[in-house]
Amino acid sequence: MKIKVCYILWFALSLGLASCELDNYEAPDSSLKGRIVYNGEPINVGYDQVYFELWEPGWQEKSPINVVVDQDGSFSALLFNANYKLIIPASQGPFISNPNDATQSDTILVNLNGNQTLDIEVTPYYMIRNPQFSVSGRTVSANFGLEKIITDANAKDVERVSLYVNKTYFVDLGNNIAATNINGGDIADMNNISLSVEAPAITPAQNYVFARVGVKISGVEDMIFSPIEKVQIQ
Amino acid sequence: MKKYIFIILSGLLAFSSGCDDEEFLAREPRNILLDEQIWQDETLVLSVLGDLYGRMPDYQSITQWGSYADFDEAFASAFGDYWRHRNTEYGFGEWSYWDYGYIREINLFIQKAEAATELSEADRARFVAEARFIRAGVYFELVKRMGGVPLILEPMTYDFSGDPSYLRHPRAKESEIYDFVISELEAVKSTLPADINTKSRATKGAALAMQARAALYAGSIAKYGQRTPSVSLPGGEVGIPADRAEGYYQTALKAAQEVMTLGYSLYKKKPDLGENFASLFYDKDNNPEAIFVEDYKTKSGKVHNWTIVNQPRYQAEEQEGGRINPSLNLVQSFEKLDNTYAPLPIQDANGNLIHYSDPTDLFAGRDARLWGTVILPGTQFKGKEVDIWAGFMLPNGNVVSSGGFGGRGDVNGDGIEEQVVGFSGPIDNLEFSAQTGFYIRKYMDPQPGSGQRGVQSDVWWIRYRYGEVLLNAAEAAFELGQKDLAAEYMNQVRERAGLIIPLTAADITFDRIVHERKVELAFEGHQLWDMKRWRLAHIVWDGTRMTVNDLLTGIGEAEDPSTMVFGMWPYKFYDGNGDPNQAEWNDWVFKIVLPSQVTNPDRFRLGNYYSEINDGIVNNNPLIVRNPNQ
C-alpha cells in the first residue's frame, strides 16, 4: 500500500511538471522602443505622468496596453508581434499629437515584427531652450529660455515655471526636496528666465543633487521639463 | 448478485416517484417566498424594501473609515493603509460605481408594487414612492461619480434570441440624470409621509433634502464647470451648460426652503457646544436634525465597528483603535470666535515655543465644532483622559520619549523611570497611535461596549441632516446673489457652533461657503463631491509637495493647496525642577510634524473628475462613451 501512495505522488508530480508546458503562453519578446520628440529633440516629462495606449484590433474584448513615457521622453515595451494602433490620449502630455498620412488622424499604425525603434513626433506647446544650472554653496540656480511652439488658435499661456531639486534622479512636481516658482504673468523675458532655490539639508549627507526646470502650461495637466542635471553642492 | 438487486431497486424507486410529474415539479418551495406570497402582505413587502434601503451606496461612511484618509482630512494610522499617503496619484477608476443589478431590482420592485392588488392603496403608493426615492438616490450617486449614465427605468429582460444588442443603451446627458433625480423627488415628495420622526425610511423631508443637494450639485457643475473646459464631452454625458446654473440653484433654494417648513431644527440639546455637536451624531432619541439615516441596532446583527477601529488607544476596549487621525490641515481651519482664521499659536513672534498650562488652552477660543469633530489632546473620551502626548521636552530642546504606548524612561536623571509618552501616543509609525496628535470624535459611540468586537456600535449614519440643508440653502442663495439670505442661513449653523458674531451679507464669499462646509461637514462623506462639483479638486490636490509654511498660510482660502497631511504633537515641558510626574511642574509646548509615512502629495488629475467606466462595461456595450481626460 505504501508503495502505491508513492507511485501516485510521483505520477502527480510528473503531471504537474508536464502541465507547465501545456498551459503557459510564450512571453512577449519583441521590444518597441523610442522617444517622444519634437524635430528630433526628446520631450522631457514628469516621472510616471505621461502614457500612451496600444490597441490591438481583432480581439473580441478591447482593452489597451498602456506604455508609460520615462522622464527623458523615452519609452520601451515588450510586446507580441502584431499590428497595433498607437494613440496618445488627448489629455496626455504637454503637446498635441501630429496627424499622419497613413490614418489621416493622430493614430499611428505600428506593425511590430521583431524589435523596433520608433520616435513619435509631436508638437509641444513650449520648448525649454538652453537650460544652464549653476551652484553657489547650496543654492541651485537655473537659467533658461522658453520658445513658444504653438502660436495658432491652440496656443496656451504659461501658468508658471518651476525649478525642482531632488536628492534622487526623480525630479518633478511631486518628487522634490526644494522647489520654487515664477508665475507666468511675472515672466519679463521669455528668453532669459532665472530661478534659484536652496537645497535643504539631506540625511544621509550627499554632495550632489539633481535639478531640472519645468513649465506648467495653463489648461494642460502634464508639465514639460528640461533634461535632468546632476549638480555638486556643498 | 447483490449489485443487481440494488440497481433494480433504485430503478423502481426512480419510477415510483415519477408517476405524477406535474405535482412533483410544481411543489411549493419551503425555503423561499414567492412573489404572490410577498405581495399580499405589507410586512413582507417592507422587508424586501428594507433590503433595497440597506444597499444604498456611500463612498465615505462610518463603515468605510479608510477612505477618509484619501484626501487631506485625516491620516490613516494603520499599517495596511499607509499607502493612502504614499501614492502619487489617484487611479482613474477610483470612486467608480456601476450597479445596474441593484437598479434592476428596484425597477422590478416598482413594477410589482404597481401591480399588487392585495395591498391597501395607501401602502402601495408609499412603497412605490419609497422605491422611486431609492432609485433617485442611486442615480444621483451614479451621476456624481460617473457623469451621465444609461437611464434604465424598466426591468430589462433578455429574450434568448442570441442577440442581446437591443439591451444596450447609451449614456444620458449629465444634466438629464440630474433632471431625472429632481423630477422623481418632486413627484414622490407628497406621497411620502411628512413625519419628521421617521428617519430610516424615505419621508417628504428626505426627498426634498436630496432634491436640494442634487440641484445644488447640478448648478455648481454648470457654473464652475467653466473652470475646466476639458472636463466635458461633446454629447453632454459630462458637463452641464453654464446657462442652466441659475435654474438649478433656484430649485435647490426652493427645495431647501420647503424642508425648513416641515419642523426640523438644529440639534441644541446640550449646553456645552462641543459636546452638543458630538451628540448630534449619536443621539437617536428625538433628534430634530437628522432627516434620513441608515440605522443600526445592537444585538440585531446590524451593527458597525466605527468606534472599535477609531477609539483612542488608551481607552480602547480591544487591542486596536485610533485609525483615523484628523489632520492639522483640518484642525487649524476651524476659525476663531471673532470669525477670523489663524494657525494654532505655538510660537511667538521670535520663534520661541509658547508654553501652555493645559494642552486644551491651545485650542481655546475656537469654533466649538472642533471639539465635536476631533478628540484633542487633554480632553476625555468615555470619562477618561485620552493621554495624547509625545514626550518630555527639556529646556535645551532635547526630547525624552519612548517607542511604545505609555513607554517609560528617565527624564531627570534621578534613576527613576517615569511614563514619557502617552498611552495613545503619538508615536511616529506606530499604528493606532495618534500620529497626527488627534483622534476622531464624530460618530464615536460613548456607550460602554461600543468598542468591543462582540457588541459593536449602533450609532446611525446620517445621510441627510438639517444643518446641511441650511448650508445648501445658503450656497444656493449666495450663487443667486441673495447674500442677505445666505448670511441668515449660515449664521444659524454658525451660532450653534458658538460663532455668535453674525456674518453680514458682505462677508459671504465663495471661500466662506467652501470653508463652512469643510468644518461643518467634515467626516460626513461630502468632501470629495464638493471639491469635484466646484472643480477645486485639481487645484487643492495639485500634486505639489507642501512645506510647513504652505500649511500655515492660506487658511480659509478655497484654492489653497493641501496635498499632505500634517500633525501637531504636544510635549510636556520639564525644566528640571520638581517631580516630572506632577502636573504643576510641567508646561505644554507643541510641534508641527509630518508623519513619516506621508511621503507623497495627493494629485487629483482632470481625468479623476469622472471615474473611468471600465473596459468590461464598454466591451459589453459599445454605445458607452468613455469619460474625458483618461
Side-chain angles (χ1 to χ4, degrees):
Chain A
M1 194 62 198
K2 236 178 197 172
I3 300 167
K4 274 187 186 168
V5 172
C6 192
Y7 279 139
I8 292 169
L9 284 177
W10 278 113
F11 181 69
L13 185 65
S14 60
L15 205 72
L17 288 175
S19 60
C20 296
E21 292 208 357
L22 282 175
D23 61 2
N24 278 349
Y25 293 101
E26 295 254 319
D29 60 354
S30 299
S31 81
L32 176 67
K33 288 183 180 168
R35 297 173 305 169
I36 308 277
V37 294
Y38 170 65
N39 291 344
E41 273 184 78
I43 308 257
N44 287 260
V45 296
Y47 169 65
D48 199 13
Q49 299 294 339
V50 179
Y51 67 87
F52 59 79
E53 295 174 345
L54 289 172
W55 295 81
E56 187 185 350
W59 299 92
Q60 190 181 8
E61 302 276 294
K62 301 188 193 86
S63 195
I65 300 167
N66 285 0
V67 181
V68 176
V69 180
D70 203 356
Q71 293 188 107
D72 60 0
S74 67
F75 58 85
S76 79
L78 271 184
L79 302 161
F80 292 109
N81 288 336
N83 295 336
Y84 294 99
K85 286 184 173 177
L86 189 158
I87 294 162
I88 307 178
S91 61
Q92 290 297 315
F95 47 72
I96 299 178
S97 302
N98 292 349
N100 68 62
D101 298 333
T103 59
Q104 298 298 318
S105 72
D106 57 2
T107 302
I108 300 167
L109 298 177
V110 180
N111 298 332
L112 193 66
N113 188 9
N115 297 342
Q116 191 176 331
T117 306
L118 173 75
D119 280 356
I120 303 171
E121 273 285 336
V122 297
T123 310
Y125 292 97
Y126 288 86
M127 282 296 274
I128 294 174
R129 296 301 187 196
N130 198 24
Q132 304 284 341
F133 293 89
S134 60
V135 184
S136 139
R138 295 186 69 84
T139 303
V140 180
S141 303
N143 188 284
F144 60 97
L146 269 187
E147 186 190 345
K148 193 169 193 172
I149 308 289
I150 299 177
T151 50
D152 60 4
N154 293 322
K156 294 194 191 286
D157 293 332
V158 174
E159 186 176 315
R160 62 163 199 273
V161 292
S162 308
L163 168 63
Y164 298 111
V165 170
N166 201 7
K167 55 185 175 182
T168 67
Y169 192 69
F170 303 105
V171 192
D172 60 21
L173 178 76
N175 299 294
N176 61 70
I177 54 171
T180 183
N181 304 314
I182 299 179
N183 287 333
D186 299 336
I187 298 173
D189 180 2
M190 291 276 264
N191 294 314
N192 183 14
I193 303 169
S194 292
L195 286 163
S196 62
V197 68
E198 192 182 330
I202 302 171
T203 359
Q206 66 184 41
N207 63 351
Y208 57 88
V209 289
F210 298 90
R212 63 171 170 169
V213 290
V215 182
K216 172 79 172 72
I217 302 144
S218 52
V220 179
E221 200 154 41
D222 295 311
M223 296 172 68
I224 187 165
F225 290 89
S226 71
I228 295 169
E229 182 109 345
K230 182 177 176 179
V231 295
Q232 299 291 325
I233 56 167
Q234 281 163 14
Chain B
M1 191 61 200
K2 242 180 187 174
K3 212 192 244 172
Y4 289 114
I5 292 174
F6 182 71
I7 290 172
I8 293 165
L9 270 180
S10 42
L12 281 174
L13 202 66
F15 280 107
S16 66
S17 59
C19 303
D20 196 347
D21 284 352
E22 283 290 302
E23 196 184 327
F24 178 75
L25 293 173
R27 277 189 306 182
E28 290 219 334
R30 305 232 173 134
N31 56 349
I32 54 166
L33 289 165
L34 298 176
D35 269 359
E36 310 87 76
Q37 293 166 317
I38 299 266
W39 289 99
Q40 55 191 343
D41 184 310
E42 58 166 301
T43 52
L44 286 176
V45 177
L46 185 59
S47 66
V48 176
L49 190 64
D51 171 61
L52 297 179
Y53 271 121
R55 290 155 66 187
M56 286 185 83
D58 292 292
Y59 170 54
Q60 297 172 315
S61 80
I62 48 174
T63 53
Q64 316 259 336
W65 73 269
S67 49
Y68 283 116
D70 281 348
F71 310 104
D72 64 336
E73 277 184 339
F75 175 80
S77 185
F79 186 75
D81 288 87
Y82 289 147
W83 62 269
R84 296 178 195 274
H85 309 290
R86 295 188 192 140
N87 55 350
T88 49
E89 59 200 14
Y90 301 110
F92 290 136
E94 286 192 46
W95 323 300
S96 68
Y97 177 60
W98 199 269
D99 194 354
Y100 277 90
Y102 181 30
I103 289 178
R104 181 181 153 78
E105 284 181 43
I106 300 170
N107 285 334
L108 276 172
F109 182 93
I110 294 171
Q111 192 185 53
K112 288 172 183 171
E114 281 171 345
T117 47
E118 305 273 317
L119 299 173
S120 78
E121 189 53 39
D123 283 341
R124 207 169 59 96
R126 184 176 176 192
F127 286 138
V128 171
E130 284 182 281
R132 287 172 72 180
F133 168 86
I134 296 170
R135 186 173 64 182
V138 176
Y139 274 109
F140 183 21
E141 194 72 19
L142 277 166
V143 73
K144 277 193 311 196
R145 302 184 190 211
M146 317 302 288
V149 292
L151 188 58
I152 309 296
L153 302 176
E154 297 285 329
M156 296 195 292
T157 307
Y158 179 45
D159 59 8
F160 294 95
S161 63
D163 175 23
S165 59
Y166 71 98
L167 296 169
R168 292 170 176 160
H169 293 266
R171 296 174 67 181
K173 290 180 180 176
E174 187 173 19
S175 59
E176 286 169 350
I177 301 292
Y178 276 111
D179 292 343
F180 167 76
V181 172
I182 291 166
S183 68
E184 276 289 281
L185 294 168
E186 187 67 31
V188 300
K189 70 174 185 187
S190 308
T191 316
L192 293 169
D195 174 16
I196 67 166
N197 294 315
T198 301
K199 308 286 193 191
S200 57
R201 291 179 70 178
T203 56
K204 186 176 187 184
L208 285 164
M210 188 189 286
Q211 190 187 39
R213 193 194 285 177
L216 184 69
Y217 279 26
S220 38
I221 289 166
K223 177 165 181 193
Y224 296 102
Q226 296 170 78
R227 284 169 182 258
T228 52
S230 62
V231 183
S232 62
L233 287 173
E237 293 88 355
V238 163
I240 299 176
D243 57 7
R244 298 206 53 194
E246 188 169 343
Y248 282 125
Y249 282 129
Q250 278 164 351
T251 308
L253 183 58
K254 187 168 149 284
Q257 283 172 331
E258 203 175 336
V259 178
M260 294 175 204
T261 63
L262 295 176
Y264 295 101
S265 64
L266 292 174
Y267 182 94
K268 291 180 185 172
K269 286 191 195 172
K270 296 192 176 169
D272 176 343
L273 297 177
E275 190 61 40
N276 180 65
F277 191 67
S279 61
L280 145 61
F281 298 96
Y282 63 74
D283 182 0
K284 304 206 290 191
D285 184 29
N286 281 326
N287 187 323
E289 179 152 356
I291 295 176
F292 179 61
V293 306
E294 169 147 25
D295 210 348
Y296 293 82
K297 188 165 163 49
T298 46
K299 297 176 191 161
S300 73
K302 189 166 166 94
V303 287
H304 62 80
N305 65 354
W306 176 258
T307 304
I308 297 174
V309 299
N310 294 312
Q311 58 196 333
R313 189 62 184 73
Y314 189 24
Q315 40 271 91
E317 295 170 278
E318 300 282 357
Q319 296 297 315
E320 61 170 319
R323 285 179 174 83
I324 291 183
N325 298 171
S327 65
L328 177 58
N329 313 37
L330 175 69
V331 168
Q332 67 173 9
S333 53
F334 286 87
E335 67 204 270
K336 299 204 292 181
L337 292 179
D338 61 1
N339 299 348
T340 61
Y341 307 108
L344 294 162
I346 59 167
Q347 289 184 338
D348 63 19
N350 300 322
N352 299 316
L353 292 176
I354 298 176
H355 291 236
Y356 291 91
S357 58
D358 188 286
T360 56
D361 290 351
L362 176 67
F363 310 98
R366 285 194 181 243
D367 190 331
R369 287 172 290 193
L370 174 58
W371 271 261
T373 307
V374 177
I375 294 178
L376 299 166
T379 60
Q380 295 196 333
F381 180 68
K382 290 191 178 173
K384 190 166 155 189
E385 185 89 10
V386 291
D387 209 36
I388 298 173
W389 52 286
F392 279 100
M393 189 181 284
L394 305 175
N396 61 6
N398 285 357
V399 166
V400 182
S401 187
S402 165
F405 291 112
R408 302 178 81 79
D410 186 6
V411 179
N412 48 2
D414 62 357
I416 302 168
E417 294 205 328
E418 40 270 308
Q419 184 193 344
V420 293
V421 67
F423 277 98
S424 296
I427 297 163
D428 192 48
N429 229 333
L430 180 63
E431 67 172 350
F432 311 149
S433 81
Q435 293 189 53
T436 62
F438 307 107
Y439 281 135
I440 186 169
R441 179 94 188 266
K442 227 175 218 183
Y443 284 110
M444 290 293 277
D445 188 347
Q447 283 295 320
S450 59
Q452 285 176 22
R453 292 186 200 121
V455 182
Q456 308 208 18
S457 169
D458 65 355
V459 165
W460 58 19
W461 165 244
I462 303 180
R463 287 209 174 93
Y464 290 88
R465 66 180 173 94
Y466 189 61
E468 187 221 339
V469 171
L470 284 174
L471 291 186
N472 290 348
E475 184 179 341
F478 165 75
E479 297 290 358
L480 291 168
Q482 304 172 33
K483 290 190 178 184
D484 284 314
L485 201 58
E488 184 194 321
Y489 294 141
M490 223 150 103
N491 284 330
Q492 291 181 37
V493 177
R494 291 168 62 83
E495 186 225 301
R496 190 254 306 261
L499 297 160
I500 45 176
I501 304 172
L503 294 177
T504 62
D507 293 330
I508 305 290
T509 59
F510 177 67
D511 286 12
R512 270 280 170 199
I513 301 269
V514 171
H515 169 264
E516 201 63 39
R517 290 183 75 90
K518 178 178 187 167
V519 294
E520 172 78 20
L521 303 174
F523 301 111
E524 294 182 46
H526 290 273
Q527 187 188 25
L528 174 63
W529 318 123
D530 280 348
M531 299 308 267
K532 277 172 55 154
R533 69 189 172 89
W534 289 321
R535 299 293 190 255
L536 283 174
H538 73 289
I539 299 173
V540 172
W541 303 316
D542 66 350
T544 48
R545 300 192 83 81
M546 279 175 83
T547 61
V548 171
N549 192 44
D550 295 333
L551 174 75
L552 298 179
T553 51
I555 301 170
E557 289 172 17
E559 299 194 2
D560 185 40
S562 178
T563 55
M564 300 171 97
V565 287
F566 284 80
M568 179 173 275
W569 285 7
Y571 291 89
K572 290 184 180 177
F573 187 85
Y574 175 66
D575 63 3
N577 295 317
D579 179 357
N581 287 321
Q582 299 296 322
E584 65 256 40
W585 297 105
N586 293 318
D587 293 333
W588 291 84
V589 292
F590 294 85
K591 244 170 59 176
I592 294 175
V593 295
L594 181 66
S596 65
Q597 291 293 344
V598 181
T599 56
N600 278 316
D602 290 332
R603 181 163 185 258
F604 189 100
R605 295 173 287 174
L606 291 174
N608 289 118
Y609 271 108
Y610 292 90
S611 298
E612 184 179 22
I613 300 174
N614 70 41
D615 292 328
I617 295 165
V618 178
N619 279 324
N620 286 341
N621 180 2
L623 298 176
I624 299 280
V625 292
R626 290 169 190 275
N627 274 332
N629 306 312
Q630 292 172 353

